[in-house]
Amino acid sequence: MKMALRACLRTKPGLTALLSQLSCSGHAAARRAPALVAQRSSSSTSQKIKVDFDQSSGVAVMHMQSPPVNSLSLEFLTDVCIALEKLEMDKSCRGLVVTSSQPKVFSAGLDILDMYGKSPEHCAEFWKAVQEMWLKFYGSNMITIAAVNGSSPAGGCLLSMTCDYRIMADNPRYSIGLNETKLGIVAPFWFKDTMVNTVGHRATEMALQLGLLYSPAEALKIGLVDQLVHEDQVLTTATETMTKWLAIPGILNISYTCHFFHLWCCNLVCTICSCVCQVIAAKKIHLSQDF
Ligand SMILES: CC/C=C\CCC/C=C/C(=O)SCCNC(=O)CCNC(=O)[C@H](O)C(C)(C)COP(=O)(O)OP(=O)(O)OC[C@H]1O[C@@H](n2cnc3c(N)ncnc32)[C@H](O)[C@@H]1OP(=O)(O)O
């Protein structure tokens, strides 16, 4: 699916325009950008993101370092998007590993404090930044691997699902999943679609209806993560795995992209139809209540 979006962003200007309406590159560009120096190995740091780029392998590691739990605030999301944009522009960067510098937590998901009691303008900007992060990761030309070295609920799980591959620390104290239902929030349809593309319809239905958080072993069983390793080995395994992915010629990725792009279009049409049906149904209920 990620590859489908990738192809769509590359080849379909109309759809790119449509998607970019969801996006907000403007606000990201306005902020300070962590510099990526073209040398054999470089390191760039914003307040909340550290990027180590090894030019000989073409692989960058993005360390999320927003204490205490890497919650996705507007500021943090903006830093992530800027770092990603810079890596994307550097054609020598072919692979990206995303991980956490915080102990025990990959990301706690959307920053609850950034969603509560804020102005409508702030909420709009915040929500656009969430969508931009999703678009940038899912549509990335780089191979992306999530090194999930701690718990990853809700938006944290979404972030990991936008990557091509997920490696999680095998620690039963950690959990991962879209638990929005348990918080009394409906997960947006594109959260749902991302999960469907990862684990399939039935597993997603169960996960969302019940707001399930999975242990690493359970997550592996339903395919929410691809591999479990000891905590100490999450990052090294991610970089080793990256080597295998980068050995596949990019052209083959593009050909799979075409198959997945077809699926993605079907999904989008279904979602639009379903929205129209819901509006019609709601209007009918409203009219019937008038009588
Ligand atoms: C406009 C939006 C509309 C719809 C949105 C729909 C989609 C929503 C997606 C989301 O992502 S909603 C967020 C859901 N997130 C969660 O449910 C995670 C909640 N947190 C946890 O489960 C745990 O904190 C943990 C991540 C497992 C880590 O546990 P740990 O025991 O290590 O830490 P502790 O719980 O003590 O937390 C430390 C510290 O961090 C604060 N915190 C935790 N999560 C968040 C968060 N998501 N946003 C902001 N702050 C968070 C927590 O309050 C503690 O703060 P304190 O030290 O000041 O008390």
Side-chain angles (χ1 to χ4, degrees):
M1 173 59 208
K2 176 183 164 177
M3 289 173 179
L5 190 59
R6 205 182 271 161
C8 142
L9 290 171
R10 264 199 302 263
T11 57
K12 301 276 186 292
L15 206 45
T16 304
L18 183 140
L19 288 170
S20 67
Q21 282 180 10
L22 288 172
S23 148
C24 61
S25 6
H27 83 96
R31 284 174 50 85
R32 73 202 176 287
L36 256 186
V37 187
Q39 57 192 39
R40 197 172 161 74
S41 220
S42 66
S43 180
S44 64
T45 313
S46 77
Q47 219 179 346
K48 294 172 182 288
I49 294 290
K50 178 170 173 277
V51 179
D52 292 326
F53 178 41
D54 177 5
Q55 237 183 8
S56 59
S57 63
V59 178
V61 180
M62 182 186 282
H63 304 265
M64 299 185 284
Q65 48 182 36
S66 183
V69 289
N70 289 329
S71 60
L72 305 172
S73 63
L74 175 57
E75 194 189 353
F76 183 51
L77 287 163
T78 305
D79 279 3
V80 171
C81 288
I82 291 172
L84 204 51
E85 227 163 68
K86 287 193 83 72
L87 292 169
E88 205 74 59
M89 282 188 312
D90 184 340
K91 295 299 166 219
S92 65
C93 184
R94 298 172 55 224
L96 173 64
V97 174
V98 190
T99 194
S100 165
S101 299
Q102 304 313 128
K104 301 188 291 178
V105 182
F106 178 72
S107 165
L110 304 193
D111 191 305
I112 290 165
L113 302 175
D114 233 5
M115 298 198 280
Y116 180 74
K118 295 286 165 83
S119 69
E121 293 75 22
H122 179 93
C123 289
E125 208 187 342
F126 172 70
W127 195 234
K128 277 182 179 179
V130 179
Q131 291 171 333
E132 181 171 358
M133 179 205 70
W134 177 77
L135 280 171
K136 281 198 189 315
F137 270 102
Y138 226 14
S140 173
N141 281 317
M142 297 177 284
I143 298 296
T144 49
I145 295 182
V148 185
N149 51 348
S151 288
S152 197
C157 176
L158 179 79
L159 169 58
S160 75
M161 287 192 298
T162 61
C163 294
D164 291 301
Y165 196 79
R166 281 157 293 285
I167 298 164
M168 189 170 185
D170 194 5
N171 182 334
R173 276 177 301 173
Y174 299 157
S175 61
I176 183 167
L178 295 182
N179 61 322
E180 283 80 351
T181 306
K182 286 260 172 68
L183 307 171
I185 305 172
V186 175
F189 77 87
W190 44 283
F191 278 49
K192 181 260 294 168
D193 285 345
T194 310
M195 191 168 205
V196 168
N197 295 330
T198 310
V199 299
H201 279 93
R202 182 59 185 148
T204 303
E205 193 179 2
M206 294 285 287
L208 292 186
Q209 293 275 20
L210 300 171
L212 296 179
L213 283 173
Y214 299 90
S215 69
E218 291 166 338
L220 181 69
K221 198 169 168 194
I222 65 162
L224 185 53
V225 297
D226 300 296
Q227 192 176 349
L228 301 184
V229 294
H230 188 272
E231 290 206 62
D232 300 342
Q233 280 150 20
V234 177
L235 193 52
T236 45
T237 310
T239 44
E240 281 161 20
T241 306
M242 182 64 83
T243 314
K244 286 186 212 155
W245 279 72
L246 292 181
I248 306 293
I251 187 72
L252 294 181
N253 288 344
I254 292 169
S255 108
Y256 287 120
T257 295
C258 294
H259 301 302
F260 286 106
F261 177 60
H262 172 75
L263 271 178
W264 188 77
C265 286
C266 293
N267 258 344
L268 187 65
V269 171
C270 286
T271 302
I272 292 168
C273 291
S274 130
C275 288
V276 171
C277 289
Q278 279 179 34
V279 171
I280 293 171
K283 280 195 172 155
K284 280 192 173 160
I285 292 167
H286 184 71
L287 281 175
S288 69
Q289 281 170 348
D290 285 348
F291 290 107

